[in-house]
Amino acid sequence: MALKFDTSFDPAYGQGVTVAPDVLRVTAKNPGPFTFHGTNSYVIGRDTLAVIDPGPDDEAHFQTLLEMIANRPVSHIFVSHTHRDHSPLAARLKAHTGAAVLAEGPHRPARPLRIGETNPLDASADTAFIPDIALPDDTLIEGDGWAIRTVLTPGHTANHAAFALEGTGILFPADHVMAWATSIVAPPDGAMADYMASLDRLIARGDGLLLPGHGGPVTAPRSFMRGLKTHRKMRERAILERIRGGDRTIPDMVKEIYRDTDPRLHGAAGLSVLAHLEDLVARGLVITEGDAAIDGIFTPVG
């Protein structure tokens, strides 16, 4: 299918929006080019609750979450990944509620940094985060009238996890799949091969409704995710065509491939191109000296 993004979204700051039975969405007021209107937190349950992705350490968002919790007990706080727009408020919410914090693990890059390489995404990483409970793949956590299954989806980050609300066909994919835009896959935090494998896994699951970390729901998940996969493959082909046409550096490729993209996103676009190039070099389709790098020179095979 042709990939069509849905940017119609009312963040309803300061309120809770019912998006499914016993599921409230609360959107933090942290809009930006990478967060859209802000980070979505989800409050699950009726009596004893769970919270998915408490969000940034923001006072107004914290107070709104407490209003939506409405003095009910919270047993679990699930964190999809350790970017600063998703995980930092977990510590404060835990202190207030006594809930256990669950996630795949602490922040880590998808691969070790290479000699001389710096991580441009360090500022976005919540390196202080440590979960109370580490979640292996397919872990089922049962609560009061709800059960949440962990579906590990590395790609956007190495420790990225989606959460399935068992028995409902609802999946919370965080930043892996969003209706309003593609996910950022930026080395060394993320890896394109991991992202594509995780996307295939979610397509195979067949969930009926996705409630992402930013923006509105994905209501036709399988066809939308197939479109995302096609989009990534087309981006890969565009990179190969630019290299075969004479481009040798990532800035030259970004200038042409992303000419209609907000210039504020060109830095991230360069890292996305690098993610594709790491995969293309590993598959023997592109040549570079040493490891693929943001300042590398890339040539076609043959």
Side-chain angles (χ1 to χ4, degrees):
M1 63 167 286
L3 186 58
K4 295 181 180 179
F5 294 116
D6 182 2
T7 57
S8 59
F9 178 70
D10 178 5
Y13 298 130
Q15 304 173 46
V17 178
T18 299
V19 290
D22 297 329
V23 180
L24 283 176
R25 183 184 68 218
V26 182
T27 303
K29 196 173 184 179
N30 60 328
F34 300 105
T35 57
F36 195 35
H37 289 285
T39 303
N40 294 331
S41 302
Y42 294 95
V43 179
I44 314 296
R46 186 174 302 174
D47 297 318
T48 299
L49 309 176
V51 174
I52 294 177
D53 276 353
D57 192 2
D58 175 84
E59 178 64 26
H61 187 56
F62 180 63
Q63 292 302 326
T64 302
L65 280 175
L66 294 186
E67 289 174 19
M68 296 307 105
I69 289 167
N71 294 317
R72 291 173 289 180
V74 178
S75 59
H76 298 80
I77 299 167
F78 294 85
V79 174
S80 65
H81 66 294
T82 44
H83 280 159
R84 289 186 178 276
D85 57 322
H86 286 262
S87 57
L89 198 59
R92 190 172 176 191
L93 192 60
K94 172 189 173 179
H96 187 88
T97 63
V101 177
L102 303 87
E104 188 272 353
H107 191 81
R108 66 183 188 280
R111 59 163 173 76
L113 265 65
R114 292 157 183 156
I115 295 172
E117 183 181 25
T118 58
N119 185 353
L121 304 174
D122 274 343
S124 67
D126 182 8
T127 55
F129 176 86
I130 300 175
D132 298 315
I133 300 171
L135 293 172
D137 189 40
D138 205 37
T139 302
L140 184 67
I141 301 296
E142 297 187 72
D144 182 8
W146 52 262
I148 291 175
R149 187 175 298 278
T150 299
V151 184
L152 294 187
T153 49
H156 176 66
T157 60
N159 65 353
H160 195 283
F163 299 111
L165 192 56
E166 195 81 348
T168 68
I170 296 172
L171 181 81
F172 301 87
D175 286 7
H176 195 78
V177 178
M178 301 175 289
W180 72 282
T182 57
S183 177
I184 298 295
V185 181
D189 273 16
M192 189 59 67
D194 291 345
Y195 178 85
M196 295 298 281
S198 295
L199 192 58
D200 282 339
R201 184 179 188 198
L202 294 190
I203 291 170
R205 280 183 53 84
D207 296 292
L209 177 67
L210 306 189
L211 297 174
H214 306 274
V218 178
T219 55
R222 187 169 276 175
S223 59
F224 183 77
M225 288 190 287
R226 287 192 184 115
L228 278 178
K229 185 175 179 179
T230 298
H231 174 83
R232 294 287 183 179
K233 290 294 186 183
M234 288 174 64
R235 186 70 77 210
E236 177 183 285
R237 285 197 294 271
I239 291 168
L240 281 170
E241 286 171 7
R242 295 305 311 175
I243 293 173
R244 288 166 182 161
D247 284 356
R248 294 291 176 263
T249 68
I250 289 175
D252 285 343
M253 297 177 217
V254 168
K255 184 169 60 177
E256 293 301 321
I257 296 172
Y258 292 89
R259 58 183 175 273
D260 297 325
T261 299
D262 184 339
R264 293 178 298 171
L265 300 176
H266 279 195
L271 290 171
S272 181
V273 170
L274 175 59
H276 278 290
L277 285 166
E278 286 187 342
D279 188 35
L280 290 167
V281 169
R283 288 157 53 197
L285 299 174
V286 173
I287 297 171
T288 189
E289 185 175 345
D291 295 312
I294 196 71
D295 59 351
I297 303 297
F298 300 90
T299 56
V301 171

